[in-house]
Amino acid sequence: MWKRGIQPVQLLARSRRPRILSCCHQCRDQLTFRAQFEPRFLSVRNTWNWATIKPNPNNPFFSQRTTKNTPRTAFILLRNADIPMLQIKPPVFIPANSEQVQHSLNILLFMSDFNTEPRPLAVNALACSSTGLIHYLQIANDHLSLVLPTYNITNGGRNPELLPSLVKTFLESSSYTKIGFGAYEDAARIKDQYGIVCKNMVDTHWIAKVMGIGTTNVGTLHRVFGDIHDAYIPGRINSEGNVSNVEQEGQLIDPRRWDWESHGSVELSRELVRCIAQDAFATLRMYDNIVNRKFRPGYQPPLTDIQKLSGQALEFLLTSVPRGTLLPVRSLYHLLKGPFMDPEISSVDRDARALALVKLLIEKKELVADKGDMTPVTFNDPTVLGRRVALPGVRSSEAILANPHSRKIALQTFGCRPDELRLMLDSDMSRKPDKIQDLECFLGVYEWLEFLPGAELDEPEQLRSQEPLDRRLQPGLSTSIGCGRKESALLALFLNFGTVAEQSKDRSAEMKQWAIQRIDRLVQQGVLLRTEGPQGLIRVHPGLLRMLKRVDSKAHSQQTTENKAFAAK
């Protein structure tokens, strides 16, 4: 019976008798019922149980099946199972119920298992733009696509346990590589709605973003990585809310931001399904180009002069954040996409270029990771945004107390004795004297103010005398000259990332009130200056800052000399 010259379709036509148990009891009952009245429906379409077929060369069915004829065989099986189909190239099947979902996904995964080098599968969660609930889940390979109605199967998402078990197994499996535009966002939605933790997900949007390429949908990604002969035709919707088949008429359709609740009448029209499937197939065709960074002919990458841009980004960070202070990658990334970027660049491109620059600075060791976290800082997924990095160096608050000269200046300014510094180690603020609390607050805000451009200049005339510093600090003095930070921004930085960040996590309201009171006391003492006007900027007293900077520069030059002498030996 099994001859080499027999085509797969002929084999299917000859295999009329069921030889393997059906894949589910519903299909078996349906098969038995139809066999009584319509014997012509009795075929192999409902008899193969793909889970029982093993890759055994002695199995004649396996030996006759190849990668070339698997898509055709799967297409015939799906058509014979009466699964609704949109006959485009490649075809799209839309199972109507849970049994059809289980059966069609079983066939799709069986196709992937036959490949010696399994290709990734495209997975897209099509959520409603107004409610955020997932209505459809698309799973596709290079030859066909399945659009699974998970919203209807789970009764509007209220019964996630009704989702077919094979869908859950597939999403939780790490054996299949699942790719998609915005895959990490889809994985978070699936976890929230169905409680399924997706594994081995690859987000093409994130990969492009790390390269510095801003994209908003698959169409914009296709203009960067798509083959020159690969056409991408976006769909459109007209002013009446109906899907338009006329090119260049109406608003563009983005399947990831489609309002399924408001457009129920055109929920699964031919044009909309074509757009959904086109995104999946285009993503699969671009996958190799994205991984290998092979751009479309004629496309110019945005980050051309990387060395120059990274140097400018480092200079900007040196005047924006203190050295040695650990900050989340997310904070530095948001900081770089602000005033540092050209205002003419779109927000999407600014977002991507800022992330690429942070990645570049980390790779060049211009930003170092937390010493307590030995895990390498990689940009494989968005979880890296929560990692903490810092500019190399010692925190200025620690450097002041470590250097005997600067420590003496700080103690004289606040009238403290050297033996009273041990009180700073006490976790209970109520047991600390006011002068110790003032010193602790000053050291905390100092590291966010001392590096600002011009912070040492523009001292008011009444402060330029040669008198000792403690006499020149006039209580309640205000000035309209110089630079500083807004008090609200200074409070946020000090409490979230400064020396009291750990205490603020447990007692945020109490620590915020404490910081406000201490800053007011420092302004009254003249250690900090508050500018006039609506800005309300806070800055360090320029005379005090210059004295501390002078000591710091001497210590730095001495350390450099010692390092050179040691290297000469």
Side-chain angles (χ1 to χ4, degrees):
M1 177 179 176
W2 300 94
K3 297 181 180 180
R4 291 186 177 182
I6 300 178
Q7 297 297 324
V9 178
Q10 295 175 335
L11 294 178
L12 292 174
R14 293 188 179 186
S15 301
R16 294 297 183 182
R17 291 179 298 175
R19 307 185 180 196
I20 302 178
L21 294 177
S22 58
C23 58
C24 57
H25 67 278
Q26 290 88 350
C27 292
R28 182 172 64 250
D29 297 341
Q30 184 182 16
L31 184 66
T32 305
F33 176 78
R34 287 187 176 182
Q36 297 175 359
F37 303 98
E38 301 179 19
R40 63 180 180 275
F41 282 97
L42 185 61
S43 67
V44 74
R45 67 183 185 229
N46 290 325
T47 59
W48 292 109
N49 183 0
W50 303 118
T52 62
I53 299 179
K54 305 297 182 182
N56 183 8
N58 298 325
N59 187 339
F61 180 77
F62 183 84
S63 61
Q64 292 293 328
R65 294 284 291 275
T66 65
T67 306
K68 294 182 179 179
N69 61 30
T70 298
R72 183 179 181 183
T73 307
F75 175 79
I76 295 175
L77 292 172
L78 291 171
R79 283 297 303 270
N80 289 343
D82 296 333
I83 297 177
M85 183 195 74
L86 180 64
Q87 195 164 0
I88 59 178
K89 291 184 179 181
V92 180
F93 291 88
I94 310 172
N97 51 47
S98 180
E99 291 77 16
Q100 289 186 353
V101 168
Q102 185 87 0
H103 183 64
S104 58
L105 182 57
N106 205 356
I107 294 175
L108 179 67
L109 298 182
F110 181 65
M111 291 174 59
S112 301
D113 292 338
F114 264 92
N115 293 327
T116 56
E117 296 181 2
R119 293 280 299 168
L121 300 175
V123 177
N124 296 318
L126 305 176
C128 180
S129 60
S130 59
T131 63
L133 295 177
I134 299 174
H135 280 241
Y136 294 92
L137 187 66
Q138 179 180 214
I139 303 175
N141 60 12
D142 295 319
H143 306 287
L144 61 90
S145 171
L146 300 179
V147 180
L148 312 180
T150 57
Y151 185 81
N152 295 336
I153 292 176
T154 60
N155 296 327
R158 293 185 295 270
N159 303 107
E161 66 277 0
L162 298 179
L163 198 69
S165 59
L166 187 58
V167 176
K168 182 175 183 296
T169 303
F170 165 70
L171 294 175
E172 291 180 341
S173 173
S174 57
S175 301
Y176 298 95
T177 301
K178 313 168 192 68
I179 67 172
F181 187 90
Y184 296 138
E185 180 183 349
D186 291 346
R189 290 182 183 273
I190 293 173
K191 182 178 180 180
D192 292 340
Q193 188 165 335
Y194 301 122
I196 300 174
V197 179
C198 300
K199 297 180 180 178
N200 201 4
M201 301 287 286
V202 178
D203 191 343
T204 56
H205 168 63
W206 174 261
I207 296 176
K209 189 175 180 180
V210 170
M211 297 180 194
I213 302 170
T215 55
T216 56
N217 50 44
V218 178
T220 57
L221 192 68
H222 186 269
R223 290 196 289 268
V224 179
F225 295 101
D227 293 333
I228 193 169
H229 299 294
D230 186 15
Y232 183 91
I233 304 174
R236 296 180 180 272
I237 181 172
N238 56 29
S239 58
E240 299 178 355
N242 299 321
V243 174
S244 173
N245 295 321
V246 181
E247 191 175 353
Q248 303 299 332
E249 178 182 325
Q251 183 182 359
L252 287 174
I253 294 176
D254 187 356
R256 291 183 53 80
R257 296 173 177 83
W258 183 259
D259 192 350
W260 300 98
E261 298 290 342
S262 303
H263 300 91
S265 58
V266 291
E267 186 168 300
L268 282 180
S269 64
R270 178 184 180 87
E271 179 67 9
L272 183 56
V273 174
R274 184 196 67 80
C275 294
I276 294 172
Q278 180 179 229
D279 283 359
F281 294 133
T283 302
L284 289 169
R285 290 193 296 268
M286 292 186 294
Y287 176 71
D288 291 333
N289 292 344
I290 295 174
V291 173
N292 299 322
R293 298 195 175 193
K294 182 181 178 182
F295 300 111
R296 188 186 184 96
Y299 176 78
Q300 184 67 26
L303 300 179
T304 53
D305 194 350
I306 297 179
Q307 299 298 330
K308 180 180 178 181
L309 286 175
S310 62
Q312 293 175 351
L314 180 60
E315 292 178 2
F316 177 77
L317 291 178
L318 288 173
T319 58
S320 303
V321 296
R323 287 185 176 272
T325 301
L326 291 170
L327 297 171
V329 174
R330 181 182 291 104
S331 300
L332 298 176
Y333 147 62
H334 285 300
L335 183 63
L336 282 179
K337 73 178 183 181
F340 171 74
M341 290 289 177
D342 187 353
E344 297 181 359
I345 302 176
S346 65
S347 59
V348 176
D349 291 334
R350 291 158 67 97
D351 201 45
R353 295 183 189 185
L355 183 64
L357 286 175
V358 173
K359 177 177 180 291
L360 182 62
L361 291 175
I362 292 177
E363 291 176 349
K364 295 174 62 176
K365 305 298 182 182
E366 301 292 354
L367 292 172
V368 295
D370 185 2
K371 295 181 179 179
D373 190 354
M374 302 303 295
T375 308
V377 181
T378 59
F379 284 74
N380 297 330
D381 53 69
T383 56
V384 71
L385 298 179
R387 297 288 300 275
R388 299 195 303 169
V389 295
L391 290 169
V394 182
R395 301 181 73 160
S396 55
S397 57
E398 299 175 359
I400 289 176
L401 297 179
N403 187 287
H405 300 288
S406 58
R407 182 172 65 245
K408 181 179 179 181
I409 295 173
L411 292 176
Q412 289 178 353
T413 302
F414 292 94
C416 301
R417 301 191 309 271
D419 61 318
E420 291 179 329
L421 290 178
R422 58 182 176 81
L423 298 176
M424 295 180 64
L425 301 176
D426 195 343
S427 59
D428 190 356
M429 289 290 185
S430 61
R431 293 198 294 260
K432 298 180 182 179
D434 285 339
K435 56 185 179 182
I436 294 298
Q437 295 187 44
D438 293 341
L439 175 59
E440 186 174 357
C441 181
F442 170 75
L443 294 176
V445 299
Y446 174 83
E447 64 181 13
W448 294 99
L449 299 173
E450 53 96 9
F451 56 82
L452 297 178
E456 306 174 39
L457 307 178
D458 302 327
E459 183 177 1
E461 292 295 334
Q462 59 267 36
L463 301 179
R464 292 183 182 272
S465 63
Q466 300 297 325
E467 299 179 2
L469 181 63
D470 54 351
R471 295 183 183 179
R472 288 156 49 192
L473 299 180
Q474 302 178 16
L477 180 66
S478 296
T479 178
S480 58
I481 307 175
C483 65
R485 290 190 187 274
K486 291 184 180 180
E487 188 168 356
S488 57
L490 180 61
L491 281 172
L493 293 171
F494 177 46
L495 295 174
N496 293 325
F497 310 113
T499 55
V500 295
E502 294 297 328
Q503 303 176 39
S504 300
K505 291 181 180 179
D506 301 328
R507 302 174 296 166
S508 58
E510 179 183 348
M511 291 304 301
K512 182 178 181 180
Q513 187 64 27
W514 174 85
I516 293 174
Q517 294 176 356
R518 291 298 151 184
I519 290 177
D520 288 339
R521 282 177 56 89
L522 295 175
V523 171
Q524 293 175 5
Q525 296 171 11
V527 177
L528 298 181
L529 302 180
R530 180 184 282 120
T531 61
E532 297 175 350
Q535 293 289 336
L537 300 180
I538 299 293
R539 61 177 299 196
V540 181
H541 185 284
L544 176 59
L545 181 58
R546 279 197 296 271
M547 294 176 64
L548 295 174
K549 284 285 189 179
R550 192 178 302 117
V551 173
D552 182 57
S553 61
K554 289 181 180 180
H556 178 72
S557 60
Q558 183 179 358
Q559 182 67 29
T560 305
T561 305
E562 293 177 356
N563 292 340
K564 290 182 179 179
F566 180 78
K569 292 180 181 180

